[in-house]
């Protein structure tokens, strides 16, 4: 999604803005722009396409002198990607410049009003409305103008603002779209995400909803919407910038896949003491755990897929009914949230608009909420009653891999904790589960090291038109993820089906040579899935099987078999996902796709 950077200090702003925007490229964008105050006027340059174009246009920032500026990478929502729709946007006389993440929902009404007052609009964006509205309310005091605008706009926004009349200041403000500020050695900075400014400072302030920041070269002042000054506590970012760089790998996705053994270990180990599971962050007493009557797992995309796995695991182990729901559905359907309901929101970014809205729905209904979140200090992490962090570190590739794997771990831990407290499993059984969990990092590593076999297979399927993923139980859950991974980065159409559902319609799509990837990791379901494999094979499908090492029978039916090491049946998704990730990755690069930044996608979907 869009990225914001701002700088005011003693150095030239433009190169710092371009550098920061580059660090945010992973979020996905279609155009970019910067505005810099040159001592007299605000100068602006923007362009559709990659940041490289903007860098060339400005000679790496050299043609835009000035020590205060704002920059933006845009992911189009209102108005097609174009030079004119790219941010920043000016008011009428170019004395106010604005960059914006989010969506102004009532922009149509505001635009009409502003046009009736004589404003002329250059772009089709909702953001330009903000620039004109600021102008409309501006009477010499930027803070008052910003607060006024905040009272009139509806929707979500993180804004960086320059006022020509106030050359020694830049402003930042947010509602429902992430924004941080920090102070570096040579000046103050704004960013929509940590990597953009980590080179300059580790001490950042997370801006809360309806807070305004005035930044000067050597000060940060925070205000609420009533323009009263407020105090804020800084947060120290623990991870290093190298964690957000490729470190010798060809792509972030490959690097992040290889980081999975460590990410899984880091998420697992601090919560295991001997043969006990300790999740202090859960904030629930045993009594409270025993009183849970129902769990909702709410999330989007891959995070939702981990929830589908978790439903099987939590219901199987802890015997608590679990409903898994897409956040975009949950938030609008008035779900029944009665006493004893626990709502678990799963999110890598902690900023996904639908997941955040779902969390707020649950809180408004008065039920207990728990976030499983990767980004420390993100909105979901801060707003949920409790949060279990997945210690995956920064995930840059748009397609999630290591965050997915750590979400599974957090959910297994939750299932086991609940199961033990509620007396559904014995101490000895828990010890066995823990032993299997602890083996996962090594087993994942083994699978990663086997990548050439998958690469060879992937190279044969670069021209595939349709791919189907099938499985039963948790194998169905992993099929959903395998299919999403493939389609999002290779642009090959693919679908996942519960294997038993094929003959209710989908099987008619199978033709000579259609690739069907069957996942069979559940011993008691081998035979069932194998008969579905026979069904598709007899209709011409080419069959890839992902199965356990002991299921050599699969070779009799499948054309190609990938084996995963044996683990507890509840945890097989942590292993089966690895070949599916590698397959998607190699198909994507074989087809020449932009694997880390697939078209039309954004890393963090902060708009609805
Ligand atoms: C797919 C992918 C997305 C995210 C989804 C939720 O590879 O990454 O489907 O899982 O957009 O994002 P978070 O977890 O940040 O809420």
């Amino acid at each position: 999604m869009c990225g914001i950077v701002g700088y005011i200090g003693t150095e030239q702003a433009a190169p710092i803005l371009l550098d920061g925007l580059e660090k945010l490229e992973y979020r996905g964008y279609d155009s970019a722009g910067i505005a810099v105050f040159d001592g007299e006027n605000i100068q602006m340059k923007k362009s559709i396409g990659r940041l490289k174009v903007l860098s060339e246009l400005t000679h790496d920032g050299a043609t835009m002198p000035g020590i205060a500026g704002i920059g933006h990478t845009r992911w189009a929502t209102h108005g097609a990607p174009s030079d004119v729709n790219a941010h920043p946007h000016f008011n009428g006389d170019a004395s106010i410049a604005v960059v914006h993440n989010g969506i102004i929902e009532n922009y149509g009404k505001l635009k009409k009003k502003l046009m009736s007052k004589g404003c002329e609009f250059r772009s089709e964006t909702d953001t330009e409305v903000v620039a004109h509205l600021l102008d409309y309310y501006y009477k010499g005091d930027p803070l008052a103008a910003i607060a006024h605008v905040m009272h009139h706009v509806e929707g979500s926004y993180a804004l960086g603002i320059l006022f020509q009349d106030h050359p020694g200041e830049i402003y930042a403000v947010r509602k429902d779209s992430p924004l941080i500020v920090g102070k570096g050695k040579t000046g103050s900075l704004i960013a929509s995400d940590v990597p953009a400014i980590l080179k300059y400072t580790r001490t950042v302030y997370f801006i809360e909803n309806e807070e305004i920041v005035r930044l000067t070269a050597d000060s940060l002042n925070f205000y609420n919407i009533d323009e009263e000054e407020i105090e804020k506590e800084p947060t120290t970012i623990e991870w290093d910038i190298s964690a957000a760089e490729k470190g010798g790998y060809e792509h972030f996705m490959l690097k992040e896949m290889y980081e999975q053994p460590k990410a899984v270990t880091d998420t697992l180990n601090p919560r295991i003491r001997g043969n006990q599971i300790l999740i202090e962050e859960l904030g629930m007493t045993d009594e409270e755990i025993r009183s849970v009557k129902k769990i909702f797992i709410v999330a989007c995309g891959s995070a939702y897929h981990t929830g589908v796995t978790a439903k099987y695991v939590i219901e199987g182990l802890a015997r608590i009914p679990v409903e898994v729901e897409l956040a975009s559905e949950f938030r609008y359907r008035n779900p029944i949230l009665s006493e004893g309901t626990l709502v678990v929101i799963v999110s890598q970014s902690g900023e996904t608009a639908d997941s955040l809205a779902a969390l707020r729905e649950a809180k408004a209904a008065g039920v207990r909420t728990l976030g499983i979140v990767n980004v420390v200090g993100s909105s979901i992490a801060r707003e949920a009653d409790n949060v279990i962090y997945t210690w995956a570190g920064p995930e840059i590739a748009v397609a999630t891999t290591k965050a997915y794997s750590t979400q599974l771990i957090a959910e297994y831990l939750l299932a086991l904790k609940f199961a033990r407290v509620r007396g559904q499993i014995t101490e000895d059984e828990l010890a066995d589960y823990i032993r299997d969990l602890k083996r996962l990092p090594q087993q994942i590593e083994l699978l990663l090291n086997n990548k050439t076999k998958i690469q060879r297979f992937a190279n044969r399927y670069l021209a595939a038109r349709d791919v189907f993923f099938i499985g039963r139980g948790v194998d169905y859950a992993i099929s959903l993820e395998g299919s999403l991974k493939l389609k999002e980065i290779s642009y090959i159409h693919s679908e996942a089906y519960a294997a038993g559902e094929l003959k209710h319609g989908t099987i008619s799509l199978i033709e000579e040579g259609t690739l069907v990837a069957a996942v069979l990791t559940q011993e008691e379901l081998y035979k069932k899935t194998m008969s579905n494999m026979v069904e598709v094979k007899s209709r011409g499908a080419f069959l890839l099987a992902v199965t356990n090492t002991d299921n050599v029978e699969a070779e009799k039916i499948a054309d190609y078999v990938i084996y995963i090491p044996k683990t507890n049946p509840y945890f097989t998704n942590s292993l089966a996902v690895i070949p599916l990730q590698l397959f998607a990755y190699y198909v994507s690069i074989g087809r020449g796709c932009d694997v880390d930044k697939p078209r039309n996608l954004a890393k963090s979907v902060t708009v609805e």
Side-chain angles (χ1 to χ4, degrees):
M1 206 106 292
C2 311
I4 287 180
V5 185
Y7 172 80
I8 182 160
T10 53
E11 286 186 62
Q12 289 298 302
I16 294 176
L17 299 176
L18 290 169
D19 179 59
L21 291 177
E22 195 190 314
K23 299 285 185 312
L24 297 180
E25 273 194 298
Y26 73 94
R27 295 169 67 97
Y29 69 103
D30 46 55
S31 51
I34 56 175
V36 176
F37 182 69
D38 71 3
E40 270 179 37
N41 299 304
I42 303 175
Q43 302 297 342
M44 182 158 76
K45 278 273 184 291
K46 45 192 199 174
S47 156
I48 188 171
R50 290 287 178 213
L51 204 52
K52 211 168 85 212
V53 182
L54 185 65
S55 296
E56 279 164 13
L57 212 60
T58 61
H59 293 88
D60 294 326
T63 58
M64 293 190 73
I67 53 168
I70 50 178
H72 192 260
T73 43
R74 172 174 188 252
W75 192 81
T77 54
H78 289 68
S82 69
D83 288 355
V84 70
N85 286 336
H87 298 207
H89 289 283
F90 275 145
N91 64 330
D93 65 2
S95 60
I96 300 172
V98 175
V99 289
H100 166 217
N101 286 359
I103 289 182
I104 305 299
E105 284 165 4
N106 59 340
Y107 89 104
K109 204 172 99 195
L110 292 171
K111 187 168 178 174
K112 225 160 136 191
K113 179 179 152 183
L114 288 161
M115 284 172 83
S116 75
K117 306 244 177 244
C119 287
E120 283 180 26
F121 281 78
R122 303 173 182 94
S123 75
E124 302 156 275
T125 64
D126 50 340
T127 306
E128 198 182 344
V129 166
V130 178
H132 287 287
L133 205 58
L134 279 166
D135 187 5
Y136 184 71
Y137 289 118
Y138 181 62
K139 307 278 179 280
D141 179 359
L143 193 60
I146 293 169
H148 244 97
V149 166
M150 288 162 79
H151 284 294
H152 286 84
V153 294
E154 289 162 17
S156 59
Y157 50 83
L159 300 168
I161 311 166
L162 282 181
F163 289 84
Q164 188 176 288
D165 284 2
H166 290 259
E169 300 168 354
I170 54 176
Y171 285 83
V173 54
R174 87 157 245 178
K175 181 172 165 273
D176 291 343
S177 200
L179 197 67
I180 55 169
V181 299
K183 257 186 55 46
K185 279 201 185 93
T186 68
S188 305
L189 300 117
I190 311 175
S192 50
D193 202 356
V194 174
I197 61 173
L198 199 53
K199 190 163 145 188
Y200 307 99
T201 181
R202 287 185 164 277
T203 310
V204 303
Y205 296 82
F206 288 94
I207 309 307
E208 300 285 347
N209 275 347
E210 303 196 323
E211 287 179 354
I212 309 166
V213 195
R214 184 207 313 262
L215 298 92
T216 68
D218 49 23
S219 66
L220 301 172
N221 296 90
F222 304 97
Y223 304 89
N224 62 20
I225 193 169
D226 298 322
E227 300 164 53
E228 295 158 340
E229 190 151 4
I230 52 171
E231 292 292 319
K232 283 186 75 70
E233 285 301 312
T235 303
T236 306
I237 304 298
E238 303 291 349
W239 48 271
D240 205 72
I241 190 70
S242 63
E245 285 171 349
K246 279 190 208 149
Y249 285 89
E250 200 180 339
H251 299 103
F252 279 112
M253 185 176 171
L254 188 64
K255 172 179 177 250
E256 288 160 8
M257 283 192 283
Y258 271 85
E259 285 171 348
Q260 289 179 108
K262 180 175 185 308
V264 164
T265 307
D266 290 350
T267 306
L268 188 62
N269 283 6
R271 280 126 186 174
I272 292 179
R273 298 263 196 299
N275 284 331
Q276 302 292 325
I277 288 175
L278 295 178
I279 321 177
E280 276 152 20
E281 323 88 280
L282 188 58
M284 291 172 83
T285 62
D286 286 0
E287 205 36 56
E288 284 168 333
I289 291 176
R290 278 191 281 269
S291 68
V292 172
K293 296 194 183 81
K294 179 171 183 171
I295 298 177
F296 275 95
I297 301 180
V298 185
C300 304
S302 294
Y304 166 81
H305 296 159
T306 71
V308 179
T309 305
K311 174 183 167 71
Y312 290 102
V313 182
I314 297 173
E315 288 193 345
L317 288 171
R319 309 305 296 159
I320 305 171
V322 178
E323 230 177 287
V324 193
E325 193 146 356
L326 294 166
S328 52
E329 290 298 311
F330 180 91
R331 64 181 291 192
Y332 291 122
R333 78 167 181 89
N334 194 14
I336 299 165
L337 298 169
S338 43
E339 208 195 317
T341 301
L342 171 67
V343 175
V344 181
I345 308 283
V346 187
S347 175
Q348 187 285 126
S349 61
E351 301 291 352
T352 302
D354 284 322
S355 304
L356 183 57
L359 168 67
R360 290 178 181 161
E361 280 293 307
K363 287 191 77 172
V367 298
R368 184 174 203 116
T369 58
L370 171 70
I372 294 181
V373 178
N374 194 42
V375 176
V376 175
S378 56
S379 300
I380 294 172
R382 283 179 289 131
E383 292 187 30
D385 293 327
N386 291 91
V387 59
I388 300 180
Y389 280 115
T390 52
W391 299 115
E395 192 176 62
I396 307 294
V398 165
T400 181
T401 52
K402 61 175 179 169
Y404 172 92
S405 286
T406 56
Q407 286 163 358
L408 283 181
I409 297 296
E411 287 160 323
Y412 300 157
L413 287 169
L414 198 65
L416 288 168
K417 176 82 189 165
F418 278 32
R420 181 66 200 115
V421 171
R422 294 165 71 105
Q424 294 292 337
I425 56 172
T426 63
E427 289 255 320
D428 288 349
E429 283 166 336
L430 179 61
D432 288 346
Y433 286 117
I434 289 177
R435 188 202 56 219
D436 286 338
L437 281 179
K438 284 172 127 178
R439 280 189 189 145
L440 287 176
Q442 242 182 330
Q443 293 174 317
I444 292 172
E445 195 155 345
L446 203 80
L447 285 161
L448 285 165
N449 291 340
N450 233 343
K451 65 179 194 308
T452 357
K453 188 173 175 197
I454 296 156
Q455 184 171 13
R456 264 203 309 273
F457 180 76
N459 285 340
R460 286 166 62 180
Y461 272 87
L462 302 182
R465 256 192 336 148
D466 304 289
V467 180
F468 294 89
F469 290 77
I470 58 169
R472 290 168 181 262
V474 295
D475 294 337
Y476 166 56
I478 201 63
S479 298
L480 291 168
E481 179 60 8
S483 168
L484 178 64
K485 215 76 312 167
L486 180 69
K487 74 179 110 180
E488 67 179 335
I489 60 173
S490 75
Y491 318 143
I492 294 175
H493 167 250
S494 84
E495 292 190 44
Y497 277 91
E501 184 64 15
L502 274 182
K503 51 177 143 335
H504 298 286
T506 314
I507 201 162
S508 64
L509 293 169
I510 306 294
E511 302 175 341
E512 199 57 42
T514 306
L515 176 60
V516 176
V519 187
L520 335 67
T521 67
Q522 307 296 298
E523 206 172 329
E524 78 276 20
L525 294 170
Y526 282 166
K527 283 208 169 67
K528 298 284 172 201
T529 306
M530 288 219 265
S531 53
N532 299 126
M533 288 162 66
V534 172
E535 282 162 12
V536 291
K537 178 132 180 147
S538 61
R539 284 156 180 89
F542 188 89
L543 263 174
L544 165 72
V546 176
T547 192
N548 298 331
T549 36
D550 64 357
N551 186 23
V552 283
E553 282 287 295
E555 301 214 4
K556 290 192 185 142
I557 308 166
D559 299 286
Y560 208 81
V561 181
I562 291 163
Y563 290 106
I564 62 163
K566 196 87 178 137
T567 182
N568 185 282
Y570 285 121
F571 307 148
T572 53
N573 280 4
S574 289
L575 302 179
V577 75
I578 306 297
L580 299 183
Q581 290 170 346
L582 286 166
F583 176 63
Y585 172 79
Y586 283 117
V587 172
S588 172
I589 56 168
R591 284 165 66 93
C593 302
D594 190 348
V595 67
D596 283 336
K597 293 183 241 99
R599 69 185 181 204
N600 306 337
L601 291 179
K603 182 64 185 162
S604 169
V605 186
T606 49
V607 293
E608 194 175 342

